[in-house]
Amino acid sequence: MQQDFFKKFNINPLKFDQSGLKWEDLLAISTHYDTIKPDLAAVGKFAVESILKCKNVHSINYRVKDNEHLIEKIIRKTIADPCRRIRIDNYQEQITDLVGVRALHLFKEDWSAIHEFMMDSWNLAEPPKAYVRHGDSPRIIEYYKEKDCEVEEHPFGYRSVHYLIEAGLGKEKLKVEVQVRTIFEEAWGEIDHVVRYPYHKDKDMLVRLSSILNRLAGDADELGTYMRYFKTYNDQVEASHQQEIESKNQIIDSLRQQINQLTLDENQLQSLTNSLDALEGTKQNIKKPKQEYLWLDSFMDSPLFKNLSHQLEKIVQSEGFQPIEVSEEDFAIMENAQKELFQILGNPEKLNRFLSDGHVKNLMNQIEFVEPKKS
């Protein structure tokens, strides 16, 4: 049994002997662990139900560590630090992820709201820890620190924020490790764990392939952030455009009524002129979305975004997007027409004759209102 266990988890028997661990002691821990697993499961369910109250959590699950992985982790921790002694009376304090919860979110920026929820809702046994990848934006790292997170660069590019919370159904509180990450980060982590970690960390080809997959997962997260930013900005543009259409339709309607009832004097002329000016000058300044998109910077600097930008530039420069060319003769005609219009507006008699012209009246009656879109 012991040898099969070592082979399954790629444990060096010599290092195990040097660690001072006894197989019999590990079996005793496993037997004791069976007695507390039902309580651990109940605490895990309680934590899941509580965290699901945060609307930014897309999906969540929990697990109670199985006996084999508990023993395997005790062995690895002891081999890594021979001074550490993990016994039957302290393993629950030494192994802090007996109950593990994974809370997943869709967009990187959703983490901020989840973090606030976790900090407000739970007692933490230690400060949250944000694992980042080499090359991550200094702005993001600083943001984690501003949120009272310890930041640690993970050697294999693992990204996640861990919270060690104290939870329980009664007076006794148990530690639960809550890992918060995006769906793409979860997908990479699961694949990496099954294929490479922790038993094949020295396989160079697997390390390289996992690194590529990690980069693709990061690109997917950043592209998702950009898509959300683009949608938010585009929605604001459309809403502003809709408001502009409604405003101009109101001005046109008012203008039509003024013209139909017109007996010109100076005040009416000024009112008509002001209405036309307003129709010409109504503009909406589109503001950028208020929400912070900290992870957008990384995407803007990525090869993926630069390639997309290059493709868009090629489309814009294609024949289908050639600029409209106006000849000098057409431009002169438009300029003269504008001058004549302002001369008419400045002379009540000319304006009255202009508006009384049958052709002009027909044109005014053919004005089409742009109907606003119904939401």
Side-chain angles (χ1 to χ4, degrees), residues 8 48 110 118 168 184 205 217 222 261 290 303-304 333 338:
K8 179 179 180 179
V48 165
D110 288 340
M118 294 297 297
F184 285 113
M205 181 56 70
E222 291 162 3
Q261 301 174 4
K290 293 182 179 180
L304 176 63
I333 292 173
Q338 186 182 46

Side-chain angles (χ1 to χ4, degrees), residues 169-233:
L169 301 177
K171 293 182 179 180
E172 183 180 2
K173 299 298 182 182
L174 300 174
K175 291 184 176 65
V176 177
E177 183 182 78
V178 181
Q179 302 176 358
V180 178
R181 65 186 73 153
T182 69
I183 290 177
F184 285 113
E185 289 165 346
E186 170 73 356
W188 170 80
E190 285 293 285
I191 293 173
D192 184 70
H193 192 84
V194 170
V195 175
R196 187 190 63 82
Y197 179 84
Y199 316 119
H200 302 286
K201 292 189 291 186
D202 57 343
K203 303 291 185 181
D204 184 65
M205 181 56 70
L206 289 178
V207 171
R208 291 176 182 271
L209 292 174
S210 180
S211 178
I212 293 172
L213 184 61
N214 180 276
R215 179 64 259 183
L216 292 174
D219 284 342
D221 271 329
E222 291 162 3
L223 180 57
T225 289
Y226 182 74
M227 290 172 65
R228 188 190 219 184
Y229 172 86
F230 180 82
K231 179 184 182 299
T232 302
Y233 182 77

Side-chain angles (χ1 to χ4, degrees), residues 222 225-227 229 293-301:
E222 291 162 3
T225 289
Y226 182 74
M227 290 172 65
Y229 172 86
Y293 291 84
L294 293 174
W295 286 267
L296 198 60
D297 294 343
S298 298
F299 178 69
M300 295 295 193
D301 293 332

Side-chain angles (χ1 to χ4, degrees), residues 81-211:
D81 182 8
C83 295
R84 171 179 282 183
R85 287 291 174 259
I86 303 177
R87 305 178 304 272
I88 194 170
D89 61 343
N90 71 355
Y91 76 91
Q92 294 182 63
E93 290 76 33
Q94 294 289 323
I95 308 299
T96 58
D97 64 341
L98 296 178
V99 182
V101 175
R102 289 181 183 173
L104 309 181
H105 50 98
L106 281 178
F107 301 97
K108 291 289 289 187
E109 57 273 14
D110 288 340
W111 171 80
S112 300
I114 298 174
H115 175 74
E116 296 300 327
F117 177 86
M118 294 297 297
M119 299 298 284
D120 293 341
S121 304
W122 300 96
N123 291 323
L124 272 61
E126 60 186 34
K129 180 173 290 187
Y131 290 97
V132 298
R133 185 178 63 193
H134 176 72
D136 277 349
S137 166
R139 184 183 175 198
I140 294 173
I141 293 173
E142 187 60 32
Y143 183 68
Y144 282 134
K145 292 179 179 179
E146 290 173 0
K147 295 294 184 178
D148 299 321
C149 294
E150 294 180 354
V151 179
E152 181 176 322
E153 183 178 305
H154 198 276
F156 297 108
Y158 172 80
R159 282 170 164 170
S160 185
V161 181
H162 290 191
Y163 302 83
L164 191 60
I165 66 174
E166 296 177 341
L169 301 177
K171 293 182 179 180
E172 183 180 2
K173 299 298 182 182
L174 300 174
K175 291 184 176 65
V176 177
E177 183 182 78
V178 181
Q179 302 176 358
V180 178
R181 65 186 73 153
T182 69
I183 290 177
F184 285 113
E185 289 165 346
E186 170 73 356
W188 170 80
E190 285 293 285
I191 293 173
D192 184 70
H193 192 84
V194 170
V195 175
R196 187 190 63 82
Y197 179 84
Y199 316 119
H200 302 286
K201 292 189 291 186
D202 57 343
K203 303 291 185 181
D204 184 65
M205 181 56 70
L206 289 178
V207 171
R208 291 176 182 271
L209 292 174
S210 180
S211 178

Side-chain angles (χ1 to χ4, degrees), residues 235-284:
D235 288 348
Q236 290 184 1
V237 170
E238 289 185 356
S240 178
H241 180 62
Q242 188 70 16
Q243 182 180 352
E244 183 178 346
I245 290 174
E246 293 172 358
S247 176
K248 286 192 174 182
N249 279 345
Q250 291 176 2
I251 294 173
I252 293 172
D253 186 45
S254 175
L255 181 59
R256 189 205 293 267
Q257 293 177 18
Q258 291 180 51
I259 291 173
N260 289 339
Q261 301 174 4
L262 189 60
T263 301
L264 287 176
D265 59 29
E266 289 297 329
N267 291 334
Q268 290 174 324
L269 176 61
Q270 186 63 46
S271 175
L272 179 59
T273 303
N274 291 341
S275 295
L276 289 173
D277 290 342
L279 178 61
E280 181 183 25
T282 303
K283 295 181 180 180
Q284 299 294 328

